[in-house]
Amino acid sequence: MDKMFVIRCKTYLSCVSHFPMGNTVKLKRILSPIGYRCESTLSSEDNIKKFIIENTEVVGDHITPEIRLRLFTPNCRFWYARPELWPFSDPYWAIYWPGGQALARYLLDNPGVTKDKKVLDLGSGCGASSIAARLSGASQVLANDIDPVATIATTLNCELNGTKLFPVVSKNLIGTKPENWELILLGDMFYEEQLADRLHSWLRECIRTHRTQVLIGDPGRAQFEGHTIRKHLQKLADYQLPDSVREQNYGLTTSTVWRYQPLA
């Protein structure tokens, strides 16, 4: 088995105490590492949209059934196809990660959190948290994901839900000069220690500069639980994960929403 792939699986997906290495074969079908990527011939946005529609399934069996999303499922060709046939970078946007599910559920259950606020969804993936913020009355939403394909997938998911379109950008915002966002959302972003360190520093600067509120969704991955940021969090809600989500996330049973409150 490719060493790079195993490392990437450990750092991104598992990040939990007990990673069943026997399941990496299944993961390899879903997430192709850089070494397996082939060159994309799908250059236009319309072609990419068509490709996403043809190779994902509309799903609603998660903890936010109000929101429908185009995701990878066992009914999709690339769930089983050889990873080198996947024409883009790793399709993290095609999975509804448990931290993002908890975060979106919290926003839908507590619309006052986002109502009339300027919201940044950092590492937005499929766009579910952004959509939840818009449905809950946010005055302005910006979805940010460094994968350009994710930005197109988010637009498709907005259309699928009849949600007013919001800007989606692929520029890496971490470490940039903080803007006046009233609320920043992060779902499943603490999967690697170096990234967690950078987020910790940048989020503190956002709060110091603009008194930004920060909400984090995470199912308890090891890199998150063991990071110093945990000392600065207030638990807001726990959510039980459906059986299908548990199976795809190696035994994780709950996902939690935290408020980030650094001391300085």
Side-chain angles (χ1 to χ4, degrees), residues 207 214 229 231-234 259-264:
I207 294 171
V214 178
I229 197 172
K231 301 176 183 178
H232 306 284
L233 301 181
Q234 174 192 1
R259 177 182 288 120
Y260 179 46
Q261 297 178 308
L263 299 177

Side-chain angles (χ1 to χ4, degrees), residues 6-7 11 14 22-23 37 51 53 58 64 67 76 85 95 106 112 121 123 128 147 153 167 178 223 251-252 256:
V6 173
I7 292 172
T11 56
S14 71
N23 285 331
R37 188 186 310 162
F51 183 88
I53 291 170
V58 176
T64 56
I67 300 174
C76 300
L85 298 178
I95 306 293
Y106 182 78
D121 182 11
D147 183 354
Q223 274 78 351
L252 293 172
T256 303

Side-chain angles (χ1 to χ4, degrees), residues 99 102-114 183-186 213-218 224 230 232-240 255-261:
L103 198 54
R105 180 72 268 161
Y106 182 78
L107 298 181
L108 293 171
D109 290 344
N110 301 275
V113 172
T114 54
L183 175 64
I184 296 178
L185 308 173
L186 302 97
Q213 182 180 5
V214 178
L215 299 183
I216 297 170
D218 193 273
F224 179 72
R230 282 285 281 105
H232 306 284
L233 301 181
Q234 174 192 1
K235 183 185 289 189
L236 298 179
D238 280 321
Y239 296 96
Q240 293 293 319
S255 192
T256 303
V257 176
W258 306 86
R259 177 182 288 120
Y260 179 46
Q261 297 178 308

Side-chain angles (χ1 to χ4, degrees), residues 35-240:
Y36 289 107
R37 188 186 310 162
C38 67
E39 292 297 323
S40 174
T41 58
L42 304 172
S43 57
S44 76
E45 182 173 331
D46 286 343
N47 285 339
I48 294 173
K49 282 184 176 182
K50 181 179 178 182
F51 183 88
I52 292 173
I53 291 170
E54 291 176 349
N55 290 283
T56 56
E57 182 179 19
V58 176
V59 176
D61 59 341
H62 38 66
I63 66 175
T64 56
E66 304 96 319
I67 300 174
R68 297 188 300 159
L69 301 166
R70 297 187 182 278
L71 304 173
F72 276 164
T73 75
N75 296 324
C76 300
R77 176 166 67 102
F78 280 99
W79 187 272
Y80 300 103
R82 298 196 311 276
E84 62 267 24
L85 298 178
W86 179 253
F88 306 116
S89 58
D90 300 339
Y92 298 134
W93 53 265
I95 306 293
Y96 193 9
W97 304 101
Q101 292 197 35
L103 198 54
R105 180 72 268 161
Y106 182 78
L107 298 181
L108 293 171
D109 290 344
N110 301 275
V113 172
T114 54
K115 185 172 175 57
D116 300 325
K117 288 188 172 64
K118 296 171 60 179
V119 179
L120 169 63
D121 182 11
L122 192 70
S124 51
C126 65
S129 295
S130 300
I131 293 170
R134 175 67 84 188
L135 292 174
S136 301
S139 61
Q140 182 177 338
V141 175
L142 176 67
N144 172 232
D145 196 293
I146 60 173
D147 183 354
V149 180
T151 67
I152 297 174
T154 293
T155 299
L156 286 172
N157 286 329
C158 285
E159 295 171 352
L160 186 64
N161 288 277
T163 309
K164 183 180 178 181
L165 295 180
F166 43 77
V168 189
V169 299
S170 57
K171 176 184 176 181
N172 186 354
L173 297 181
I174 301 171
T176 62
K177 182 179 179 180
E179 296 188 27
N180 189 23
W181 298 104
E182 295 173 276
L183 175 64
I184 296 178
L185 308 173
L186 302 97
D188 302 279
M189 285 289 285
F190 292 84
Y191 53 83
E192 192 270 328
E193 187 172 359
Q194 185 177 14
L195 175 59
D197 290 343
R198 292 173 59 214
L199 282 169
H200 189 25
S201 175
W202 186 69
L203 291 172
R204 280 187 300 179
E205 183 64 17
C206 292
I207 294 171
R208 185 190 68 80
T209 306
H210 297 295
R211 303 180 65 85
T212 304
Q213 182 180 5
V214 178
L215 299 183
I216 297 170
D218 193 273
R221 294 190 177 90
Q223 274 78 351
F224 179 72
E225 293 295 323
H227 197 273
T228 55
I229 197 172
R230 282 285 281 105
K231 301 176 183 178
H232 306 284
L233 301 181
Q234 174 192 1
K235 183 185 289 189
L236 298 179
D238 280 321
Y239 296 96
Q240 293 293 319

